[in-house]
Amino acid sequence: MPNCCYGLGLLMLLAGCTQVGPDFEKPQAPWLDGWSTPMLEQAGRSATTPDLRQWWAVFADPMLDALIAEADANNTNLRVAGLRIAEARAQLAIVQTGRYPQLQQLSAQSLYLKQNQSGTATARDSVFWQSSVGFDIGWEIDFWGRFSRAIESADALYFASQANYADAMLLLRAQVADTYFALRTAEARLDIAQENAKRQARSLEITERLFRHGEHDELDWQQARTQYLATLATIPEFENQLNALRNVLCSLLGRPPGPLPQLQAGHGQLPLPERAILQDVPANLLQRRPDIRAAEQAVAAQSALVGVAEADLYPQLSLLGSIGWTFLSASHLPNTFDLAAGPSLIWNPFDYGRRKNAVRVEDARLQQLIELYHQGVREAAREADDAASGLVRSLQSATIRDQASQAAQRSLTLASSQYREGFADFQRVLDAQQLLLQQQDGYLVSRGNAVSSLVTLYKALGGGWDTRRAPIDPATRQHMQQRTDWGELLDVPASSAHAQGETE
């Protein structure tokens, strides 16, 4: 009966355990619920929403699809982010052991003693064996929630690692698309420069021939030569830019620097995003950006650490137990069995000031992370608004520059015709050639800016990450399993989809 009462009292004690410290409260940004960038509001909304995990499909470019798939498979930063999920999961498993007895120690020893009293074998010589086996156990009761709060913190950090992986994927895909389109823009600008250089080279030949025959003075020839050489000088600059962009793309793809022969297909082709694409981007995705969710989980983890520090202010109550067996070879000495058990209370009230200030330190860190969360949300809204504005303005600029290019082309045709007929001097031809190059190049720059702004807009609104993708590829998982027993920690848990915030 006393044992039953003792067990019942222990269960009641365990059931009465509490958690000190603040419970996590999601940081609120009330303005975000009804927020939308004005540019998105101007564009309106459509009834359908595309699969924003593959937003780059709006460009209908198979080459871009292939590059993003290769980057997903081989990019080092994304691989490291995936491995950090496994690391965080292993750390969580370590912390979860706090639910069980913290001391579990099994010991065994054996002692052999031989006494030879005369130097030779006699009846008084003796041989003595002593063997013992023992098991010690110690279990600190989580009376104040020290271990449960630590688990809560590690759990939040695990979810944060998943959000960081999604953020790395989002950033990678946006970088691949942005670099790819920047390369296509540079190719188109190089083509325009080469085309205008050929046109100017023909004018240079004409003015030089006329000067050699004494029909014109040297000024026309030198002006044509100056303009031709200035245009020619931009060609190596564009070629160097192309080389740098190819190297950046190789780095994102996990390749060493070198040529990308597959890019020859579609050389210089640059899409022109329509304003209607804006209608398909719901601004509420801003609230589910992976970096915002990672910041939220960081707040949750730190909130739990405040509770861990606060639990140190109170006594530590533990249950201790020990079992031991001793076996002796001497017949006149009995074997023994020892059993000891009881509670243990540890408290250091004279260290209260240090521990209280440790709680304050953790709380200050919590408030810092809350402030950083709010700052991150505001920065995300700013990025989305800037990108939307950049897209709309770049499209407007591209439309105007396209018209200006057509006008400049017509102006050059008229100036060249009038020059040949003697109704205009060569300076008008030079001016028309220069204006044509400027407007054609400016048009391509505006188109490139529009595409870049659209990519940035999708990234700012949190599109471009896929929860269905395993963070660790099968080959790496197999290699790690062969090297170390990972158990099930490398598998994708069923709760990961919820943790990463499915968009379906």
Side-chain angles (χ1 to χ4, degrees):
M1 185 64 178
N3 291 336
C4 294
C5 293
Y6 177 79
L8 180 61
L10 178 60
L11 290 176
M12 293 178 62
L13 179 65
L14 293 176
C17 293
T18 185
Q19 285 184 324
V20 298
D23 293 327
F24 169 65
E25 295 182 3
K26 180 179 178 179
Q28 298 297 322
W31 60 269
L32 191 59
D33 295 334
W35 176 88
S36 178
T37 171
M39 292 301 170
L40 291 177
E41 292 177 351
Q42 293 174 13
R45 295 286 193 274
S46 67
T48 60
T49 300
D51 185 358
L52 293 175
R53 293 171 303 188
Q54 295 184 345
W55 51 262
W56 55 91
V58 300
F59 297 110
D61 190 332
M63 181 57 63
L64 177 59
D65 297 342
L67 292 175
I68 289 179
E70 183 176 349
D72 286 348
N74 301 317
N75 182 263
T76 300
N77 291 335
L78 187 60
R79 283 172 168 261
V80 170
L83 291 170
R84 284 174 179 163
I85 295 178
E87 177 187 352
R89 196 173 179 189
Q91 290 288 353
L92 174 60
I94 292 174
V95 177
Q96 285 175 334
T97 59
R99 295 170 173 169
Y100 309 104
Q102 294 80 31
L103 174 63
Q104 302 178 48
Q105 180 175 330
L106 179 65
S107 61
Q109 61 182 3
S110 181
L111 175 65
Y112 171 74
L113 176 62
K114 179 178 181 180
Q115 292 182 337
N116 189 337
Q117 299 183 4
S118 60
T120 58
T122 65
R124 290 181 299 173
D125 295 345
S126 64
V127 176
F128 179 79
W129 282 92
Q130 176 179 320
S131 300
S132 62
V133 178
F135 179 72
D136 299 322
I137 187 171
W139 189 0
E140 179 183 342
I141 301 175
D142 196 17
F143 196 83
W144 309 108
R146 178 204 313 274
F147 299 111
S148 59
R149 287 296 191 191
I151 294 172
E152 181 182 332
S153 178
D155 196 47
L157 290 177
Y158 169 57
F159 289 144
S161 70
Q162 292 181 324
N164 286 328
Y165 174 76
D167 188 49
M169 182 182 295
L170 182 157
L171 181 60
L172 170 64
R173 291 172 169 178
Q175 286 179 325
V176 170
D178 199 38
T179 304
Y180 171 72
F181 288 128
L183 186 144
R184 290 305 194 200
T185 301
E187 289 176 342
R189 295 180 68 189
L190 174 61
D191 292 342
I192 289 296
Q194 292 173 337
E195 179 184 341
N196 279 270
K198 292 178 181 178
R199 182 182 296 111
Q200 294 168 9
R202 290 194 295 269
S203 298
L204 176 61
E205 293 174 0
I206 294 173
T207 56
E208 183 179 9
R209 185 169 60 253
L210 293 175
F211 168 67
R212 300 298 184 189
H213 288 81
E215 299 180 23
H216 288 283
D217 58 20
E218 185 180 358
L219 180 60
D220 289 348
W221 174 41
Q222 293 299 341
Q223 287 180 325
R225 185 167 179 264
T226 299
Q227 183 162 280
Y228 168 69
L229 293 176
T231 302
L232 201 63
T234 63
I235 293 177
E237 295 174 356
F238 285 128
E239 292 174 339
N240 182 61
Q241 184 180 0
L242 281 172
N243 183 73
L245 289 170
R246 275 194 298 267
N247 287 341
V248 171
L249 201 53
C250 286
S251 178
L252 294 173
L253 300 178
R255 296 188 185 188
L260 294 171
Q262 66 268 36
L263 294 182
Q264 292 300 321
H267 175 89
Q269 295 180 6
L270 189 65
L272 180 60
E274 297 295 339
R275 188 187 184 96
I277 293 179
L278 279 173
Q279 301 175 11
D280 295 330
V281 184
N284 61 8
L285 274 186
L286 182 66
Q287 303 176 67
R288 293 187 287 177
R289 275 177 47 144
D291 60 334
I292 299 301
R293 292 186 293 105
E296 178 185 325
Q297 293 298 332
V299 173
Q302 185 59 37
S303 176
L305 289 181
V306 176
V308 173
E310 192 168 338
D312 287 338
L313 296 173
Y314 305 100
Q316 299 177 15
L317 179 62
S318 302
L319 298 177
L320 304 178
S322 178
I323 300 176
W325 293 268
T326 301
F327 307 95
L328 302 174
S329 62
S331 58
H332 63 282
L333 295 176
N335 298 332
T336 61
F337 171 76
D338 300 316
L339 174 64
S344 171
L345 183 67
I346 301 177
W347 189 28
N348 187 356
F350 303 104
D351 201 24
Y352 183 85
R354 181 185 67 83
R355 299 186 183 190
K356 187 66 176 179
N357 282 310
V359 176
R360 293 166 179 160
V361 168
E362 299 297 342
D363 187 70
R365 291 173 178 172
L366 171 60
Q367 190 60 39
Q368 293 172 36
L369 291 175
I370 293 174
E371 296 297 333
L372 290 175
Y373 172 86
H374 289 300
Q375 177 65 16
V377 174
R378 290 191 295 269
E379 286 296 315
R382 180 193 60 78
E383 291 175 10
D385 193 78
D386 288 349
S389 176
L391 175 57
V392 173
R393 305 310 181 196
S394 295
L395 288 174
Q396 294 173 347
S397 176
T399 300
I400 297 172
R401 287 187 179 276
D402 185 34
Q403 298 172 355
S405 297
Q406 297 176 19
Q409 183 69 59
R410 178 61 178 166
S411 175
L412 177 60
T413 301
L414 293 174
S416 299
S417 177
Q418 291 177 5
Y419 173 72
R420 287 193 300 269
E421 295 174 1
F423 295 110
D425 59 15
F426 190 68
Q427 184 60 46
R428 299 188 68 177
V429 176
L430 293 177
D431 292 342
Q433 288 179 345
Q434 184 177 10
L435 283 173
L436 177 61
L437 175 59
Q438 290 175 351
Q439 297 307 317
Q440 288 179 332
D441 187 71
Y443 170 66
L444 292 174
V445 170
S446 295
R447 285 186 60 173
N449 290 339
V451 174
S452 179
S453 295
L454 180 59
V455 171
T456 303
L457 178 59
Y458 277 112
K459 179 175 73 71
L461 292 173
W465 48 274
D466 191 350
T467 59
R468 298 169 300 182
R469 178 179 174 82
I472 302 178
D473 63 280
T476 301
R477 182 185 295 107
Q478 181 180 4
H479 181 70
M480 294 176 67
Q481 289 282 19
Q482 291 175 348
R483 185 177 59 221
T484 305
D485 181 12
W486 277 88
E488 298 180 352
L489 293 183
L490 297 182
D491 299 333
V492 179
S495 61
S496 65
H498 171 73
Q500 296 187 23
E502 282 283 8
T503 59
E504 292 91 354

